[in-house]
Amino acid sequence: MKSTSLSAKLGGLRSLGLAAGLLRRAVLGQLGQLRHGHLVVLEDGERLSFGAPDSSLQAEIQVLDPGVWELVAVKGSIGSGEAYIHGYWTSPDLTAVIRLFVANIEVLDGMERGFARLGRPLLQALHWFNRNTRTGSRRNIAAHYDLGNDLFQQFLDPTMMYSAAQFSGPQDSLEAAQLYKLERICRKLDLKPGDHLLEIGSGWGSMAIHAAQRHGCRVTTTTLSREQYEYCRRRIEALGLEDRITLLLQDYRDLEGRYDKLVSIEMIEAVGHRFLPTYFRQCARLLKDDGVMLLQAITIRDQRYEQARRSVDFIQRYIFPGGALPSVHKLLDVMTHHSDLNLLHLEDFGDHYARTLRLWHENLRQARNRLEQLGYDEYFYRLWEFYFCYCEGGFIERGIGTAQLLLAKPGARPQALLGRFDA
């Protein structure tokens, strides 16, 4: 079923019997702790102001249903997302609201320590069932990426890249920025016609196709998504690249062979904390002794990693079951202790991801009627709208980032230098 009926998931939450006034006062009390930015809450003709009115960061929430207070009080940040999806509140600038709470993360933490802590064991238990075993990984990937290629075509650019673009300048279109990113990756890897490149996480095939067409190398690429696999297969056949690209529907843990280069673009978030050592051991094993690897990863701030590891957030609950963001320090620590790879170069461009998400959101908004025709209902649209703004706000405020790590085996003598990375 394409539509996401959150009515069933949210049903019963307003019948908990807790005093609505008490819950509202508890949430407003936390909002009174805001120090960065300025928040205006509008409800039934009342205007409440929190934070610094003269701040450059201005956010506004319009309460449409008092059920918002119960959800936020009882379920914290997840509840705020559910309340938005259910239409209990809205905002003229949803990203600004997210930014404000990221900038005041201690206030968000305070909400999580309130009534919301009572539901934490249940959330963690539910999330435990999403752990990324071989069976679990297939189920988790299918839950998101097999929603339908038609959906992703509505907001992605023609490259169908579902990861941070890199913009060479303010004039770049999303498609141009994605192609620029792909070329920079190839140059960082110093791809040559004689190379055999392994890609872990095919997406919809653009990385493999770009490397094969522009750099003449052989590519083996793998995905766990049946929808992505079929889409990639058709693209590869249409371009006559069957002799250059081998497409697999296979878990990274089951891959065999030895490769000159390895690339993995925003797949590691689906590995899970528990399996990071397995991931790096396998990558090192699959690379030749002089091999080089490019890893693009969404990361969380090092200082927030441990708390995030023990928590379940909105994205894990409703968007990416089994998802887990590593920090840069965690990646390097696991890589150091569980592989012979070492870091050659690191580039963070989280601000580019914020721009990417803003363009995806714009495309989603323009495709709203088309989505309804395809069977994606209003709840689904509001869910994905919240998802895009939730992430955009996190990147703008640097609560999360995205990084490209160039990693190398001990025998590697990479020729590519920083000045040669630009496409």
Side-chain angles (χ1 to χ4, degrees):
M1 183 178 179
K2 291 180 178 178
S3 63
T4 302
S5 180
L6 290 182
S7 296
K9 295 180 180 179
L10 300 179
L13 287 173
R14 297 186 62 193
S15 60
L16 293 175
L18 297 174
L22 174 63
L23 296 176
R24 183 177 185 272
R25 285 195 296 273
V27 175
L28 294 178
Q30 287 295 328
L31 295 181
Q33 304 301 312
L34 293 175
R35 295 293 177 266
H36 308 289
H38 180 232
L39 176 67
V40 171
V41 177
L42 305 174
E43 183 182 22
D44 290 336
E46 185 179 7
R47 185 181 189 274
L48 302 175
S49 177
F50 304 93
D54 60 347
S55 172
S56 60
L57 177 54
Q58 297 285 328
E60 180 182 300
I61 288 174
Q62 299 168 1
V63 176
L64 304 177
D65 188 302
V68 64
W69 306 115
E70 184 174 311
L71 278 168
V72 174
V74 174
K75 302 188 74 175
S77 59
I78 291 179
S80 68
E82 291 177 343
Y84 181 84
I85 298 160
H86 217 47
Y88 291 175
W89 68 276
T90 188
S91 172
D93 188 344
L94 180 54
T95 299
V97 176
I98 303 298
R99 287 184 58 194
L100 183 137
F101 282 101
V102 175
N104 293 273
I105 195 67
E106 68 282 353
V107 174
L108 203 57
D109 289 343
M111 291 183 181
E112 300 293 347
R113 289 193 296 269
F115 291 111
R117 76 182 188 279
L118 301 176
R120 193 174 303 136
L122 176 59
L123 284 173
Q124 290 172 334
L126 292 171
H127 190 60
W128 183 85
F129 287 102
N130 294 329
R131 63 196 188 281
N132 290 294
T133 60
R134 282 173 173 79
T135 301
S137 289
R138 288 186 181 275
R139 183 175 60 248
N140 291 336
I141 292 297
H144 187 84
Y145 293 97
D146 288 351
L147 287 169
N149 291 328
D150 284 344
L151 165 66
F152 293 95
Q153 287 175 312
Q154 301 309 307
F155 66 86
L156 298 179
D157 68 278
T159 68
M160 291 292 285
M161 289 298 299
Y162 190 31
S163 55
Q166 287 183 294
F167 297 84
S168 64
Q171 76 288 345
D172 277 2
S173 67
L174 181 56
E175 181 180 11
Q178 291 290 11
L179 291 172
Y180 179 72
K181 183 263 299 288
L182 291 176
E183 184 59 23
R184 280 177 58 83
I185 288 174
C186 291
R187 294 195 180 198
K188 286 183 178 184
L189 286 169
D190 196 21
L191 283 181
K192 299 180 176 66
D195 286 337
H196 191 175
L197 172 69
L198 172 65
E199 181 185 24
I200 299 178
S202 306
W204 283 272
S206 285
M207 178 67 221
I209 290 169
H210 187 92
Q213 284 186 326
R214 299 293 185 90
H215 296 268
C217 58
R218 288 189 297 138
V219 183
T220 295
T221 182
T222 189
T223 180
L224 285 180
S225 166
R226 175 65 65 178
E227 289 277 324
Q228 287 184 336
Y229 177 86
E230 292 299 331
Y231 189 96
C232 288
R233 181 184 59 78
R234 290 192 295 270
R235 284 188 74 184
I236 292 167
E237 290 176 356
L239 293 168
L241 292 173
E242 300 97 319
D243 62 328
R244 307 299 300 168
I245 301 175
T246 300
L247 176 64
L248 304 175
L249 186 65
Q250 196 169 348
D251 193 289
Y252 73 92
R253 287 163 285 205
D254 299 324
L255 295 173
E256 298 292 340
R258 299 264 280 174
Y259 300 86
D260 301 290
K261 309 286 172 64
L262 192 156
V263 65
S264 188
I265 302 175
E266 293 180 27
M267 173 271 174
I268 197 167
E269 303 82 8
V271 167
H273 305 294
R274 172 185 170 189
F275 294 101
L276 286 174
T278 302
Y279 174 85
F280 279 108
R281 279 196 297 267
Q282 177 68 332
C283 288
R285 187 182 72 82
L286 292 165
L287 278 170
K288 294 179 180 178
D289 294 338
D290 60 351
V292 179
M293 171 181 177
L294 188 289
L295 172 65
Q296 182 167 315
I298 302 173
T299 60
I300 192 165
R301 290 184 61 188
D302 289 313
Q303 295 85 347
R304 300 287 298 179
Y305 172 75
E306 283 300 326
Q307 180 171 340
R309 186 180 63 83
R310 297 189 299 268
S311 306
V312 180
D313 70 359
F314 176 84
I315 299 296
Q316 292 166 316
R317 183 73 183 96
Y318 286 108
I319 304 296
F320 292 107
L325 297 187
S327 69
V328 170
H329 180 269
K330 184 63 177 181
L331 288 173
L332 296 179
D333 181 62
V334 174
M335 179 191 74
T336 299
H337 289 92
H338 296 277
S339 80
D340 60 355
L341 294 164
N342 66 286
L343 178 68
L344 294 182
H345 182 262
L346 187 150
E347 178 182 16
D348 185 279
F349 54 105
D351 55 334
H352 290 241
Y353 217 148
R355 183 174 169 185
T356 302
L357 283 154
R358 190 159 55 250
L359 292 172
W360 286 347
H361 186 194
E362 182 180 317
N363 291 342
L364 186 79
R365 189 181 300 115
Q366 293 176 356
R368 189 168 188 171
N369 292 336
R370 175 63 178 153
L371 289 170
E372 288 186 9
Q373 295 170 9
L374 292 170
Y376 300 97
D377 63 15
E378 179 67 14
Y379 284 111
F380 186 93
Y381 177 83
R382 292 178 68 85
L383 168 65
W384 278 62
E385 182 177 47
F386 192 86
Y387 155 43
F388 284 153
C389 293
Y390 183 95
C391 294
E392 182 189 353
F395 281 113
I396 292 174
E397 294 300 321
R398 296 185 58 244
I400 51 177
T402 190
Q404 286 179 359
L405 288 75
L406 187 62
L407 312 174
K409 295 276 283 186
R413 301 293 182 267
Q415 297 302 309
L417 300 174
L418 181 59
R420 294 179 55 201
F421 288 172
D422 288 322

